[in-house]
């Protein structure tokens, strides 16, 4: 276990103690203890790894977990992981601090909240540090689970549960697709280790499974990173407490998809499909998110759609950057690697300004009791600090100098113009549309930022709109957003402070395989009089113009439709899913034992018959099977009683005779076992018969009188056919088992047990040695089933519906 | 369970005496199982039969005075025992559920084989006894409650 392993495990270990804290220290807010976890992690990881990462080093530690299946708990740290590690722990610290003042100690279930949050921190660290794809997948699903639990934190609200379910269904769907993609990668390369896959990635581009694997992995990334059309879960996830929205749904979890795409870049990057799928999805998401955000009237909803839009921006940049892996031309390599630099820089920027904006939205909600744009207004003088932080954050998002968002936006424009000059991947004259979409989306971004700013802080303060006395938030609540806002300004004025430690190492690790000189990418506020600057000026000019006339377009009908149209597919899908599953359940759960038997037998017979048919089992029996020569006479007697007691069963009219007849059948079977010298089986059969008899006699009084069947003839015929085919199948299996024994090509597996029972198991009873030594797992799980059956009997007997309507 | 309310002395004496033998026999099955016919499953079912006799002779209230443990609890004890015995392999770097055995020379008994399969089988025994008794007693108890209605 290395330090990196402990970094992943510590949040989980800490989560164990959280429930105790509330009892031991009832007067202290649990958040104060939890705060130490991310704080310690960020400090430790910065001290231990920052200089190593800046030198361009990476490290890999492996702890075997299931080595037989190539699943190992291996952790890998390079520039990309380190960037995310700091993001998760750093923002995590601020969010925990913020949550201490946001969540009331007396009213909220703090222990639940912090357990989920720590679980999320651990899982997210696991995602970004794992080198093994299966381990990564496990942590990936754990982040989905933690996110769902946190969205449903206020589970009494119907909307919370709806949002939680929606996010779970969509992200887990993507997770499954991703798992299949990982399996395909394993089939192509024979390893689950990302490092090893990258090492042997040269040949897989021509593999038939390359494209399916890529699409499946991208499905996982797109659902998590809210790319169109999977973005619809994020607006509903805003029902979560605001610290969660700021942390999971803007700064970290939704960026897991970005991380995955960046991580998979050396494997899939350089193919045209990867380039186009990511670029087009990203650009469309950017555009769609921006125009949807304008129509929102809720502060958090605006921020949700703007997160969708910004993640689309980062995604499209990764698409452009993948071109650097295809071209052999060093000049083009440098040009397109620039897009990755922009992506990583904007990733950091987005976390700072969006995190602060979410926290500010939470403060406004907390202090005024509403997030509705049309109720808020004139808060500038009442909440000066909140106002300042919002102004900085919104300006950065809109792309106004001197904040960090401006720099990354200008670089983004530059990359989108450069992509049109791509000499391969079928790029043509029409490509001019790409920078146009980017520009247009930025105009919309500017408009919603201005709109949010104006509606919240300018205008008239109307006392009647608020339930409570509006005043500035407490200092504790303001610390985190102010710190993040400060980062926005610092990164805007001195954008190069992070390049050596975070941005360049992460770009190098994304573009494994090619060596790009990264020194030309020094980030500056002033780019010179380039076309990007004119585009920015255009954004501001058109944006201001559109904003000034907002009274006109807010009257349009489309403005009132703030629910995303893509939701229709989800709603319809959920309805249909519920209807069809209810239909299947009703079809199957009739409450009649006979129907259940019909279902079970039909499936068993059909499955086995198909298998036997396909494997060519219906062949002639070998000679010498049916010799009756050496059968002793008493066997005929035993067989006569056996067959007779079975044959009379359908004609018996009273239950007690029925039970006796079945008992005779069972005893005859036991006799058979004795004759063929299987004492264990005979004993078991006898005992089971005895206990069954007792149970049957006990249940006897509950059973109604046997009535004459009134079912139709065809129904009966079908049942007879099913019963007969089940019987025929069992007979055939026993005959074929006997026939195979005659066939010399097969060696019986029993030989192994006979030979090894004494030397390996230390017992002379082969049946028992097989049960406890060789097949211990089967036995112990059967015991588990037996326990569950006993519990089920208690449930069925004690807690059944007595009278009244059954379901 | 439809308890005998006839106070038939012959029946009572017969069932009680039989149940002693059956119980003893079930223990033999359990311990001899590794080398002779028997084992946890068979032993458990035999014990369940013996216990069922006791419940048949006395009514449930009286029988519970003698049998002071609850059967669902017995199931969990058995599961823990079996699963726990399997976990020995963790400490010796073997696979889960690896069983060990060796021969020991113990005074008076002579050479005796001790196996980890025995506690494992004991767990199975507990589970079987517990499950069989839970099923029987619940169905019987249900009938009683209906009679009271």
């Amino acid at each position: 276990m290395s330090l990196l392993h402990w970094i992943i495990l510590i949040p989980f270990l800490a989560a164990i103690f959280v429930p105790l804290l509330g009892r031991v220290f009832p007067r202290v807010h649990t958040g104060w203890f939890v705060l130490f976890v991310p704080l310690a992690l960020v400090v430790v990881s910065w001290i231990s790894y920052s200089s190593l990462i800046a030198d361009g080093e990476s490290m890999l530690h492996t702890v075997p977990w299931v080595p037989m299946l190539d699943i190992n708990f291996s952790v890998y740290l390079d520039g990309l992981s380190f960037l995310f590690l700091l993001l998760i722990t750093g923002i995590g610290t601020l969010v925990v601090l913020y949550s201490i003042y946001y969540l009331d100690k007396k009213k909220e279930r703090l222990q639940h909240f912090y357990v989920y949050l720590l679980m999320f921190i651990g899982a997210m660290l696991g995602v970004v540090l794992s080198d093994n794809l299966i381990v990564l997948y496990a942590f990936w699903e754990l982040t989905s689970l933690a996110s769902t639990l946190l969205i449903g934190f206020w589970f009494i609200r119907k909307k919370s549960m709806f949002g939680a379910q929606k996010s779970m269904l969509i992200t887990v769907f993507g997770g499954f697709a991703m798992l299949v993609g990982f399996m395909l990668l394993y089939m192509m390369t024979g390893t689950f280790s990302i490092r090893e896959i990258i090492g042997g990635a040269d040949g897989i581009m021509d593999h038939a499974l390359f494209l399916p694997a890529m699409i499946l992995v991208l499905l996982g990334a797109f659902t998590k990173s809210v790319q169109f059309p999977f973005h619809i879960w994020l607006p509903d996830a805003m029902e979560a407490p605001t610290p969660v929205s700021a942390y999971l749904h803007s700064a970290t979890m939704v960026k897991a998809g970005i991380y995955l795409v960046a991580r998979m870049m050396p494997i899939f990057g350089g193919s045209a499909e990867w380039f186009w799928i990511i670029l087009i999805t990203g650009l469309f998401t950017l555009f769609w998110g921006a125009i949807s955000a304008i129509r929102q009237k809720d502060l958090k909803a605006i921020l949700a759609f703007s997160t969708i839009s910004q993640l689309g921006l980062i995604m499209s940049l990764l698409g452009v950057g993948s071109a650097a892996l295809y071209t052999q031309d060093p000049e083009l390599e440098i040009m397109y690697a620039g897009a990755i630099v922009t992506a990583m820089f904007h990733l950091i920027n987005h976390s700072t300004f969006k995190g602060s904006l979410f926290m500010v939205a939470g403060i406004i909600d907390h202090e005024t009791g509403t997030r509705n744009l049309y109720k808020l207004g004139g808060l500038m003088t009442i909440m000066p600090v909140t106002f300042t932080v919002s102004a900085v954050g919104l300006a950065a998002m809109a792309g106004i100098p001197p904040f960090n968002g401006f720099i990354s936006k200008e670089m983004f424009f530059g990359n989108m113009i450069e992509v049109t000059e791509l000499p391969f991947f079928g790029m043509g004259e029409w490509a001019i549309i790409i920078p146009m979409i980017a520009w247009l989306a930025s105009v919309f971004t500017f408009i919603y930022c201005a709109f949010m700013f104006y509606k919240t802080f300018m205008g008239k303060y109307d006392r009647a709109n608020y339930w409570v006395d509006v005043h500035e938030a407490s200092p504790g609540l303001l610390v985190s957003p102010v710190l993040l806002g400060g980062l926005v300004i610092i990164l805007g004025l001195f954008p190069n402070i992070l390049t050596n430690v975070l941005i360049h190492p992460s770009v190098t690790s994304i573009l494994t395989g090619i060596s790009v000189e990264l020194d030309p990418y020094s980030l500056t506020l002033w780019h010179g009089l380039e076309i990007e600057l004119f585009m920015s000026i255009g954004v501001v000019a058109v944006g201001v113009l559109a904003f000034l006339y907002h009274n006109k377009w807010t009257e349009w009908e489309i403005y009132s439709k703030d629910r995303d149209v893509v939701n229709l597919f989800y709603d319809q899908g959920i309805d249909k899913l519920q209807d069809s599953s209810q239909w299947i359940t009703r079809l199957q759960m009739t409450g009649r034992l006979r129907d259940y038997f019909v279902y079970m037998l039909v499936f068993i017979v059909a499955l086995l018959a198909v298998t036997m048919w396909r494997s060519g089992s219906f062949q002639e029996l070998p000679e010498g099977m049916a010799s009756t020569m050496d059968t002793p006479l008493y066997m005929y007697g035993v067989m006569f009683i056996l067959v007779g007691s079975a044959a009379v069963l359908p004609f018996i009219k009273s239950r007690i005779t029925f039970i006796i007849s079945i008992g005779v059948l069972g005893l005859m079977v036991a006799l058979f076992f004795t004759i063929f010298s299987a004492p264990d089986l005979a004993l078991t059969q006898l005992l089971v018969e005895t206990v069954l008899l007792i149970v049957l006699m006990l249940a006897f009084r509950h059973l109604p009188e046997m009535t004459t069947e009134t079912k139709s003839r065809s129904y009966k015929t079908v049942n007879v056919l099913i019963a007969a085919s089940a019987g025929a199948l069992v007979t055939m299996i026993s005959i074929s088992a006997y026939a195979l024994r005659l066939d010399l090509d097969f060696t019986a597996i029993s030989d192994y047990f006979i030979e090894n029972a004494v030397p390996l198991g230390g017992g002379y009873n082969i049946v028992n040695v097989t049960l406890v030594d060789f097949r211990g797992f089967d036995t112990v799980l059967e015991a588990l089933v037996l326990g569950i059956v006993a519990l089920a009997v208690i449930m069925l007997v004690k807690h059944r519906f007595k009278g009244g309507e059954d379901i | 369970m439809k308890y005998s309310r006839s106070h038939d002395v012959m029946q009572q004496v017969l069932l009680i005496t039989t149940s002693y033998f059956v119980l003893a026999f079930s223990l033999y099955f359990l311990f001899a199982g590794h080398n002779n016919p028997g084992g946890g499953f068979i032993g458990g079912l035999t014990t369940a039969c013996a216990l069922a006799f006791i419940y048949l002779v006395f009514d449930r209230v009286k029988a519970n005075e003698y049998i002071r443990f609850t059967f669902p609890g017995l199931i969990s004890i058995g599961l823990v025992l079996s699963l726990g015995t399997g976990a020995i392999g963790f400490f010796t770097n073997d696979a889960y559920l690896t069983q060990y055995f060796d021969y020991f020379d113990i005074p008076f008994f002579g050479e005796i084989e001790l196996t980890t399969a025995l506690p494992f089988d004991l767990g199975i025994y507990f589970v079987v006894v517990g499950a069989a008794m839970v099923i029987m007693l619940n169905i019987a108890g249900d009938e009683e409650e209906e009679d009271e209605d």
Side-chain angles (χ1 to χ4, degrees), chain A residues 119-135:
Chain A
M119 188 168 102
F120 170 76
I121 295 178
M124 195 65 208
L125 290 172
V127 168
V128 300
L129 291 175
S130 296
D131 180 55
N132 192 289
L133 286 175
I134 296 297
V135 178

Side-chain angles (χ1 to χ4, degrees), chain A residues 512-654:
Chain A
T512 318
I514 61 168
S515 53
V516 182
E517 193 54 50
L518 287 168
D519 287 337
Y521 304 111
S522 78
L523 313 168
T524 45
L525 206 53
W526 174 248
H527 280 245
L529 283 172
E530 304 267 340
I531 187 161
E532 291 95 321
L533 186 67
F534 294 114
M535 283 173 86
S536 292
I537 294 171
V539 166
V540 176
V542 176
V544 167
L545 212 62
F547 175 70
L548 287 178
Y549 288 99
H550 75 262
N551 283 334
K552 289 271 190 318
W553 53 259
T554 46
E555 283 166 9
W556 297 350
E557 205 195 335
I558 190 162
Y559 179 72
S560 60
K561 290 177 180 160
D562 51 2
R563 193 168 152 80
D564 206 315
V565 283
V566 187
N567 279 311
L568 279 176
F569 293 101
Y570 176 81
D571 296 341
Q572 290 280 323
I574 286 291
D575 282 352
K576 290 282 182 309
L577 193 70
Q578 271 176 4
D579 287 351
S580 50
S581 64
Q582 272 170 359
W583 177 72
I584 290 174
T585 312
R586 267 198 298 271
L587 203 68
Q588 171 201 4
M589 291 295 180
T590 54
R592 295 159 53 89
L593 209 54
R594 202 169 295 180
D595 287 350
Y596 299 155
F597 267 111
V598 167
Y599 281 120
M600 283 194 279
L601 289 180
V602 164
F603 273 98
I604 292 170
V605 169
L607 282 175
L608 284 175
V610 168
T611 316
M612 286 165 87
W613 183 263
R614 286 173 64 109
S615 58
S617 308
F618 296 99
Q619 287 171 2
E620 285 174 50
L621 289 175
E623 285 297 317
M625 272 289 293
S627 101
T628 50
M629 295 300 283
D630 47 354
T631 313
L633 200 62
Y634 64 87
M635 282 301 281
Y636 288 103
V638 175
M639 272 177 23
F640 177 75
I641 301 174
L642 189 77
V643 174
S645 61
V648 296
L649 285 178
F651 307 104
I652 293 173
K653 290 271 184 277
S654 106

Side-chain angles (χ1 to χ4, degrees), chain A residues 431-579:
Chain A
I432 190 72
I433 200 171
I434 294 175
M436 279 168 72
I437 291 174
W439 183 79
L440 210 57
S442 300
V443 172
F444 286 123
T445 309
F446 185 89
I447 296 172
Y448 71 69
C449 290
F451 207 69
M452 183 173 160
F453 180 72
Y454 179 81
K455 285 283 179 190
T456 317
F457 295 104
M458 301 295 168
K460 215 168 116 280
Y461 171 70
D462 189 357
R463 179 72 190 82
N465 279 336
Y466 308 109
W467 297 52
V468 284
D469 247 354
V470 180
H471 52 80
E472 183 59 280
S474 67
L477 211 50
L478 286 168
V479 172
S480 300
V482 166
L483 281 175
L484 282 173
L487 267 179
V488 171
I489 301 173
I490 293 170
L491 284 175
L493 295 176
F494 312 103
N496 280 314
I497 49 170
L498 292 178
T499 43
N500 279 336
V501 190
L502 289 181
I503 294 173
H504 285 178
S506 61
V507 173
T508 319
S509 55
I510 293 172
L511 296 175
T512 318
I514 61 168
S515 53
V516 182
E517 193 54 50
L518 287 168
D519 287 337
Y521 304 111
S522 78
L523 313 168
T524 45
L525 206 53
W526 174 248
H527 280 245
L529 283 172
E530 304 267 340
I531 187 161
E532 291 95 321
L533 186 67
F534 294 114
M535 283 173 86
S536 292
I537 294 171
V539 166
V540 176
V542 176
V544 167
L545 212 62
F547 175 70
L548 287 178
Y549 288 99
H550 75 262
N551 283 334
K552 289 271 190 318
W553 53 259
T554 46
E555 283 166 9
W556 297 350
E557 205 195 335
I558 190 162
Y559 179 72
S560 60
K561 290 177 180 160
D562 51 2
R563 193 168 152 80
D564 206 315
V565 283
V566 187
N567 279 311
L568 279 176
F569 293 101
Y570 176 81
D571 296 341
Q572 290 280 323
I574 286 291
D575 282 352
K576 290 282 182 309
L577 193 70
Q578 271 176 4
D579 287 351

Side-chain angles (χ1 to χ4, degrees), chain A residues 97-377:
Chain A
L97 181 65
Y98 176 80
S99 72
I100 293 171
Y101 294 94
Y102 190 85
L103 293 171
D104 193 82
K105 188 173 64 184
K106 294 195 186 86
K107 279 188 234 154
E108 308 289 358
R109 298 166 304 130
L110 290 179
Q111 276 71 38
H112 290 78
F113 181 80
Y114 286 112
V115 167
Y116 302 156
L117 199 68
L118 283 171
M119 188 168 102
F120 170 76
I121 295 178
M124 195 65 208
L125 290 172
V127 168
V128 300
L129 291 175
S130 296
D131 180 55
N132 192 289
L133 286 175
I134 296 297
V135 178
L136 189 150
Y137 167 76
F139 282 123
W140 180 278
E141 294 293 31
L142 211 52
T143 62
S144 292
L145 179 67
S147 155
T148 303
L149 289 169
L150 284 166
I151 296 169
F153 180 63
W154 287 313
F155 57 84
I156 313 162
R157 301 183 189 172
K158 221 172 186 171
K159 274 183 151 181
S160 288
M161 294 318 284
F162 177 76
Q165 188 197 31
K166 195 171 181 177
S167 84
M168 182 85 163
L169 286 175
I170 294 178
T171 52
V172 169
F173 155 75
F176 278 149
M178 193 178 88
L179 179 65
V180 178
F182 288 169
M183 296 297 176
L184 296 184
L185 272 179
Y186 182 77
M187 285 167 70
M188 284 189 278
T189 59
T191 173
F192 280 125
S193 160
I194 300 176
R195 286 300 103 198
E196 288 172 23
I197 292 176
I198 291 174
D202 298 333
I204 68 168
M205 201 83 86
D206 303 322
H207 203 286
L209 293 175
F210 180 73
L211 196 60
M214 178 204 290
I215 289 170
L216 288 167
V217 169
L218 279 181
L219 267 180
F222 285 173
T223 47
K224 201 77 155 186
S225 274
V226 289
Q227 300 297 301
F228 186 89
F230 307 109
H231 64 284
I232 46 170
W233 67 266
L234 193 67
D236 287 300
M238 290 301 126
E239 292 301 322
T242 304
V244 174
S245 308
Y247 190 33
L248 275 71
H249 304 131
S250 85
T252 54
M253 190 185 86
V254 289
K255 294 208 169 85
I258 304 279
Y259 169 80
L260 190 77
V261 169
R263 193 38 101 208
M264 294 289 154
M265 189 73 86
I267 302 171
F268 296 113
S271 66
E273 293 88 353
W274 178 261
F275 175 85
W276 282 116
I277 292 175
I278 296 180
L279 177 62
I280 291 173
T281 312
L283 270 183
F284 194 76
T285 310
L286 165 69
F287 187 73
W288 187 268
I291 56 169
S292 303
I294 293 180
R295 300 202 302 264
Q296 302 306 311
K297 283 96 196 171
D298 180 296
L299 279 183
K300 277 178 87 175
I302 296 179
L303 292 174
F305 277 105
S306 105
T307 304
I308 292 167
S309 153
Q310 300 281 320
L311 287 168
L313 189 157
I314 301 174
M315 199 59 98
S316 66
L317 282 168
L318 288 177
V320 174
S322 77
L325 289 168
Y326 176 83
T327 176
Q328 303 293 331
D329 186 352
E331 261 182 50
L332 289 178
E333 269 179 14
I334 291 182
M335 195 152 126
Y336 294 113
I340 307 273
V341 176
T342 316
M344 290 300 113
F345 187 49
H346 195 70
L347 187 91
I348 302 171
N349 295 344
H350 177 251
S351 299
T352 55
F353 65 69
K354 190 58 63 65
S356 71
L357 282 176
F358 262 113
M359 290 177 181
V360 167
I363 290 175
I364 293 170
D365 186 18
H366 207 256
E367 303 303 327
T368 64
T370 180
R371 300 194 304 247
N372 191 327
L373 279 187
Y374 285 86
K375 283 189 178 171
L376 294 164

